[in-house]
DNA sequence: GGCCAGGGCCCAC
DNA sequence: GTGGGCCATGGC
């Protein structure tokens, strides 16, 4: 399934820190698991990607997952024609990034794990949790024993602390279990938060222990697709302090601040050659 | 081997 | 609402 899009760069998406299960198989070829499916993505040229799936599966899952109905070029062009030099460089550098529509529960648990960890450590931890609590991915060709789905709320709600700690969660073990229980028992309705406003979602998420302002904004942005969310982590804070001297005006980008945030994040990290 | 990481909790102030 | 210790652990 060949897709042409001016703003679709798999490497940039995989390295943008929004998802943790998209990994390189070789140069220009990545794989990931989402919504119970495995897929390989090959960047053929700057604007062309080969999705290793049928047209039916593409339309059912991956078109939405990669947010392919949204016009990112409009956002990039707006930034490129603006006056903010840092954002011009950021948007030009990361113009192939898109905000994935990840599964809300996966985003919630992933960003709970992410606190005070670097990205390689987050990936290791999440892969372990998928291996122990997820299911082997099923394909039309059979079961793939090397790839696992992200666990269900139920699977993690009944996990125990010691087992999670062996998977390198550290002190976050109880946060994970409590969040999974809240979702499993219906106390936290993530699907309802997809429909709600970003503000309502953040407030509901922050009632969970282990979910503060930053994690709630990441879940809102990457799991609920509220693209006005603007997570501030140590990297973004560095930019707001050093580049903008504390005077960055979020209101200039209201409605799509999360996309701007991703360009900033990807640019500053790449500029500092951090993996 | 020390420092840092897509932070949050808990407690003073 | 701000500022500091503290948290468990890997990656570099």
């Amino acid at each position: 399934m060949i897709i042409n899009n001016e703003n679709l760069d798999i490497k940039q998406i995989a390295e943008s820190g929004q998802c943790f299960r998209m990994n390189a198989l070789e140069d220009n070829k990545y794989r990931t698991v989402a919504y119970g499916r495995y897929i390989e993505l090959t960047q053929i040229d700057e604007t062309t990607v080969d999705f290793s799936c049928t047209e039916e599966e593409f339309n059912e899952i991956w078109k939405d997952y990669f947010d392919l109905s949204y016009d990112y070029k409009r956002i990039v062009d707006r930034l490129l024609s603006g006056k903010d030099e840092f954002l011009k460089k950021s948007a030009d550098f990361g113009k192939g990034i898109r905000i994935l529509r990840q599964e809300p529960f996966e985003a919630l648990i992933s960003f709970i794990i992410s606190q005070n960890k670097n990205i390689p450590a987050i990936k290791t931890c999440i892969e372990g949790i998928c291996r122990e609590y997820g299911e082997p991915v099923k394909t039309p060709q059979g079961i793939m024993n090397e790839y696992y789905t992200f666990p269900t709320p139920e699977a993690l709600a009944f996990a125990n602390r010691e087992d999670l700690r062996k998977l390198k969660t550290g002190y976050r073990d109880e946060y994970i279990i409590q969040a999974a229980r809240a979702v499993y028992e219906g106390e936290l309705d993530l699907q309802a938060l997809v429909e709600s406003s970003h503000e309502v979602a953040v407030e509901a998420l922050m009632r969970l222990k282990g979910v503060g302002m930053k994690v709630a904004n990441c879940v809102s942005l990457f799991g609920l697709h509220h693209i006005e969310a603007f997570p501030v982590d140590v990297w973004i804070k560095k930019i707001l302090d050093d580049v903008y001297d504390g005077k960055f005006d979020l209101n200039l980008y209201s409605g799509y601040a999360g996309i701007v945030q991703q360009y900033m994040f990807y640019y500053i990290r790449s500029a500092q050659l951090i993996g």
Side-chain angles (χ1 to χ4, degrees):
Chain A
M1 190 69 200
I2 302 287
I3 299 301
N4 272 287
N5 192 300
E6 283 188 58
N7 303 94
L8 175 59
D9 188 311
I10 301 302
K11 178 181 168 70
Q12 290 183 5
I13 293 170
E15 295 179 354
S16 68
Q18 62 175 300
C19 59
F20 303 106
R21 303 197 67 202
M22 192 177 291
N23 294 319
L25 286 166
E26 53 195 78
D27 280 355
N28 299 321
K29 186 168 183 179
Y30 288 76
R31 57 88 171 163
T32 195
V33 175
Y35 293 92
R37 308 294 183 95
Y38 171 89
I39 192 165
E40 293 177 358
L41 306 142
T42 307
Q43 192 85 35
I44 295 174
D45 60 39
E46 202 175 328
T47 63
T48 312
V49 172
D50 185 5
F51 287 67
S52 70
C53 66
T54 63
E55 184 172 354
E56 289 79 3
E57 183 174 316
F58 176 80
N59 287 322
E60 184 190 342
I61 296 176
W62 304 110
K63 184 180 176 185
D64 284 338
Y65 187 74
F66 284 89
D67 200 24
L68 286 165
S69 300
Y70 189 82
D71 187 3
Y72 284 79
K73 181 169 163 47
R74 203 176 103 251
I75 306 296
V76 170
D77 286 346
R78 193 179 303 177
L79 296 175
L80 289 180
S81 62
K83 293 185 173 178
D84 187 318
E85 293 303 322
F86 184 78
L87 285 186
K88 278 190 188 182
K89 286 185 278 187
S90 300
D92 185 53
F93 188 74
K95 57 181 179 291
I97 295 174
R98 314 181 74 82
I99 308 294
L100 301 177
R101 291 176 185 265
Q102 299 183 57
E103 295 175 77
F105 180 66
E106 175 173 345
L108 173 60
I109 300 300
S110 294
F111 282 97
I112 286 175
I113 290 168
S114 79
Q115 67 178 249
N116 220 28
K117 275 182 179 291
N118 57 33
I119 290 177
I122 298 165
K123 287 187 165 193
T124 302
C125 186
I126 291 175
E127 279 317 312
I129 287 179
C130 291
R131 194 173 57 249
E132 293 301 320
Y133 296 96
E135 301 291 334
V137 172
K138 294 174 191 159
T139 71
Q141 288 76 38
I143 293 175
M144 302 180 77
N145 281 311
E146 63 268 52
Y147 296 110
Y148 289 81
T149 62
F150 195 86
T152 61
E154 180 175 7
L156 287 180
F158 295 104
N160 67 61
R161 284 204 185 86
E162 295 72 31
D163 291 342
L164 284 176
R165 288 236 170 174
K166 288 176 195 155
L167 302 172
K168 305 166 185 175
T169 58
Y171 62 89
R172 306 162 192 81
D173 53 359
E174 58 181 317
Y175 299 160
I176 294 168
I177 293 169
Q178 288 186 23
R181 277 190 192 154
V183 174
Y184 174 63
E185 292 167 358
E187 177 189 334
L188 180 67
D189 186 345
L190 292 172
Q191 206 49 51
L193 297 183
V194 172
E195 310 298 328
S196 82
S197 71
H198 163 62
E199 289 74 15
V200 166
V202 165
E203 200 224 303
L205 290 165
M206 283 181 65
R207 288 186 210 133
L208 294 171
K209 198 172 176 185
V211 177
M213 188 63 83
K214 189 272 173 181
V215 168
N217 270 272
C218 281
V219 177
S220 186
L221 178 57
F222 303 128
L224 308 175
H225 207 74
H226 293 310
I227 60 171
E228 65 268 43
F230 190 83
V232 178
D233 72 327
V234 294
W235 295 93
I236 296 294
K237 178 162 175 45
K238 209 173 298 181
I239 294 171
L240 298 184
D241 290 345
D242 297 351
V243 179
Y244 292 96
D245 196 25
K247 294 169 187 162
F248 182 73
D249 186 3
L250 250 187
N251 296 322
L252 295 173
Y253 315 101
S254 66
Y256 60 98
I259 297 174
V260 174
Q261 192 268 12
Q262 275 305 96
Y263 295 146
M264 297 167 88
F265 181 82
Y266 180 67
Y267 179 63
I268 196 71
R269 282 173 49 83
S270 300
Q272 307 211 3
L273 300 174
I274 306 264

